[in-house]
Amino acid sequence: MIYNILDYGAKTDGTLCTHQVQKAIDDCFLNGGGEVVIPGGIFLTGGLRLRSGITLHLLEGAVLMGSIDPEDYTTYINDPIEPILPEEADKPVATIVPGASVGSSSFPYSRWNNAIIRAINARDISIIGEKGSQINGQNCFDEQGEEGYRGPHAINMWFCENVTLKGYTICDSANWAHAIQNSKNIKVEGITVLGGHDGFDVRTCDNIIIENSRFLTGDDCIAGFDNIGVTIRDCYFESSCSIFRFGATDMIVENCKGVAPATYGYRGSLSMEEKKKRADTTDECRHNCLNVFLYYCDNRAAIRQTPGNIVIRNCEFNNPDAVMRLPFGHMWCCNRSLADITFENCIFHGVCLPMQLDCPEEEPMELRMKDCTVTPREGCEQINFIVGKNVKSIELERVLPKDFSDPKIICNPETAITIKQ
């Protein structure tokens, strides 16, 4: 069945219509599922809870405009349809590293997880957008949020299965555009993220496909760790942090392009007064891309399988600061390290820093590059090519470090280095 939010009294006159949209979702759920339609127009809303068996369908020109009041995103706490049990409300997710000190992002019902659209323990759900459809976070300011200013995510999901995300644009998300944890079977196609913070974060998720999408973000484009089975293809990236800040087992990235400097800068560079005014980023904000691939593994998940078998192929990245960095020992890289990564048929144009691989002694990694070209940024021709610690092996086959003055590889004496031309 189809449920149109106009039939529930939702209006485009700027009044908050969270209740009307949620009532349409609830009726759809209670009647066995179906489609909830958002017609063309701008609908102001706080936090909504998407439920099993429902497709949220944004028609052409439909906009879910997030409220700028962070208190409008807490209605899920008293959800009468699928109530939160008191014993669950203050409990962290069970998959964190035992004894680890973790923040509020590991508590599924915390304020940090607030979002324009939330889904918890839901199956067979979809968010589909037609041409011109949008989810807009308005850079909602929350002094109780992350870093004292970040507001709700655009989309937040926990413990979900069979998720389809397609066609819409997310603008100015007050925190991450997508924050998805402990879920599986996630299919993403043809979405766009503009501004805000991270574009797509997944943690402890399985079977993820992201295709034909665009991520122009002020923070990381694709982030997360403890993921198994990830495919990313035919996507365009601009990041003012890292294109991939990621950890996974069995990951393929192919036919993608990354460009820097990014259109949207890093909002953390704004003054607090600017953040309170929900300002867009300025020219003074950081716009450079720090890394194509930054390995990520903190203690918010007990990583289930050895991270590795990551392949990045048939891609082009222009003006990243570095191809890759593995900074083991950093607070965001302190769990299980990466076993191996392969770059095939890739172009990295305009780097200004070497590949820096600082691996733990007990988990040395293997780096493979084949049919790749790396060129330095003007004025950076003297940089080293690769600098590594506890790297097990480096295999370079038809790899051209072009225009470097002296492209050195500096690693432990025991690192096995193979170069084939």
Side-chain angles (χ1 to χ4, degrees):
M1 293 182 63
I2 296 176
Y3 299 78
N4 191 313
I5 65 169
L6 295 180
D7 296 332
Y8 289 81
K11 299 183 183 302
T12 59
D13 59 1
T15 58
L16 195 68
C17 56
T18 313
H19 173 76
Q20 291 84 352
V21 179
Q22 188 64 58
K23 186 65 166 62
I25 292 171
D26 293 348
D27 282 0
C28 184
F29 174 71
L30 293 172
N31 286 294
E35 181 178 309
V36 174
V37 169
I38 314 295
I42 299 174
F43 298 90
L44 185 66
T45 183
L48 303 167
R49 183 167 179 180
L50 187 61
R51 307 188 192 277
S52 291
I54 294 177
T55 293
L56 187 65
H57 192 174
L58 284 74
L59 301 185
E60 183 172 347
V63 177
L64 283 176
M65 185 70 71
S67 168
I68 61 172
D69 184 348
E71 300 308 321
D72 286 336
Y73 296 89
T74 59
T75 54
Y76 68 92
I77 294 173
N78 298 310
D79 185 355
I81 307 297
E82 297 177 279
I84 298 171
L85 300 175
E87 60 269 25
E88 296 291 332
D90 299 318
K91 188 166 128 182
V93 67
T95 55
I96 61 172
V97 173
S101 176
V102 295
S104 58
S105 64
S106 293
F107 293 74
Y109 304 104
S110 67
R111 186 183 185 93
W112 184 90
N113 283 286
N114 284 352
I116 297 173
I117 301 170
R118 298 197 69 178
I120 306 167
N121 290 309
R123 296 173 55 93
D124 305 317
I125 56 175
S126 300
I127 303 173
I128 307 295
E130 305 298 340
K131 181 180 178 180
S133 63
Q134 189 182 119
I135 301 167
N136 193 313
Q138 295 203 87
N139 291 326
C140 176
F141 175 80
D142 184 1
E143 65 182 0
Q144 298 181 54
E146 184 175 350
E147 298 177 328
Y149 76 97
R150 298 199 202 188
H153 308 289
I155 296 171
N156 178 272
M157 295 182 179
W158 278 90
F159 314 118
C160 292
E161 185 174 347
N162 305 334
V163 177
T164 299
L165 305 171
K166 183 178 180 180
Y168 54 78
T169 294
I170 291 179
C171 298
D172 297 329
S173 182
N175 204 338
W176 301 348
H178 303 81
I180 303 177
Q181 291 93 358
N182 297 75
S183 299
K184 60 183 179 181
N185 304 334
I186 302 163
K187 179 70 164 61
V188 181
E189 182 178 359
I191 68 167
T192 298
V193 176
L194 302 176
H197 295 268
D198 288 5
F200 207 96
D201 279 70
V202 281
R203 186 172 75 238
T204 311
C205 291
D206 297 343
N207 303 326
I208 305 152
I209 299 175
I210 303 174
E211 298 179 304
N212 300 303
S213 294
R214 292 166 50 86
F215 298 88
L216 289 75
T217 67
D219 211 319
D220 304 313
C221 287
I222 308 290
F225 65 97
D226 187 35
N227 301 300
I228 300 172
V230 180
T231 299
I232 300 172
R233 61 168 69 100
D234 301 312
C235 291
Y236 175 84
F237 300 107
E238 293 183 17
S239 169
S240 292
C241 284
S242 294
I243 292 176
F244 301 101
R245 186 169 76 118
F246 211 72
T249 305
D250 301 334
M251 175 180 181
I252 294 175
V253 178
E254 58 187 0
N255 306 326
C256 293
K257 184 173 184 178
V259 173
T263 301
Y264 298 92
Y266 176 60
R267 294 194 75 242
S269 305
L270 296 170
S271 69
M272 186 56 71
E273 190 61 31
E274 289 171 321
K275 292 169 183 173
K276 288 180 180 178
K277 293 179 179 178
R278 303 180 292 107
D280 290 328
T281 52
T282 63
D283 290 342
E284 286 71 38
C285 291
R286 187 182 73 218
H287 287 257
N288 58 303
C289 174
L290 302 179
N291 309 277
V292 172
F293 188 93
L294 173 64
Y295 181 64
Y296 181 29
C297 62
D298 69 32
N299 287 324
R300 286 173 295 171
I303 297 175
R304 297 164 294 160
Q305 293 187 16
T306 302
N309 192 29
I310 295 175
V311 178
I312 299 177
R313 63 193 183 198
N314 305 329
C315 294
E316 179 180 346
F317 301 98
N318 292 311
N319 298 312
D321 289 358
V323 173
M324 177 182 173
R325 192 158 62 97
L326 193 163
F328 198 85
H330 187 274
M331 63 181 293
W332 301 122
C333 190
C334 56
N335 193 323
R336 296 184 65 178
S337 195
L338 179 65
D340 66 283
I341 188 169
T342 300
F343 297 94
E344 294 181 358
N345 193 34
C346 290
I347 297 172
F348 305 94
H349 176 69
V351 302
C352 65
L353 296 170
M355 297 178 68
Q356 185 78 41
L357 310 174
D358 293 327
C359 310
E361 187 175 357
E362 63 277 13
E363 292 183 295
M365 71 163 288
E366 300 177 4
L367 168 67
R368 290 180 288 273
M369 299 185 75
K370 182 178 179 180
D371 297 313
C372 292
T373 299
V374 184
T375 65
R377 198 172 300 170
E378 185 176 353
C380 300
E381 295 83 1
Q382 77 288 352
I383 64 172
N384 294 313
F385 186 47
I386 302 172
V387 177
K389 182 176 75 173
N390 299 321
V391 178
K392 183 178 181 180
S393 64
I394 296 174
E395 182 177 323
L396 307 179
E397 183 174 353
R398 295 186 298 278
V399 173
L400 179 61
K402 184 180 179 183
D403 298 331
F404 286 77
S405 57
D406 187 13
K408 293 180 180 178
I409 299 174
I410 302 175
C411 289
N412 297 55
E414 60 270 23
T415 300
I417 300 175
T418 304
I419 300 177
K420 301 177 183 179
Q421 295 302 331

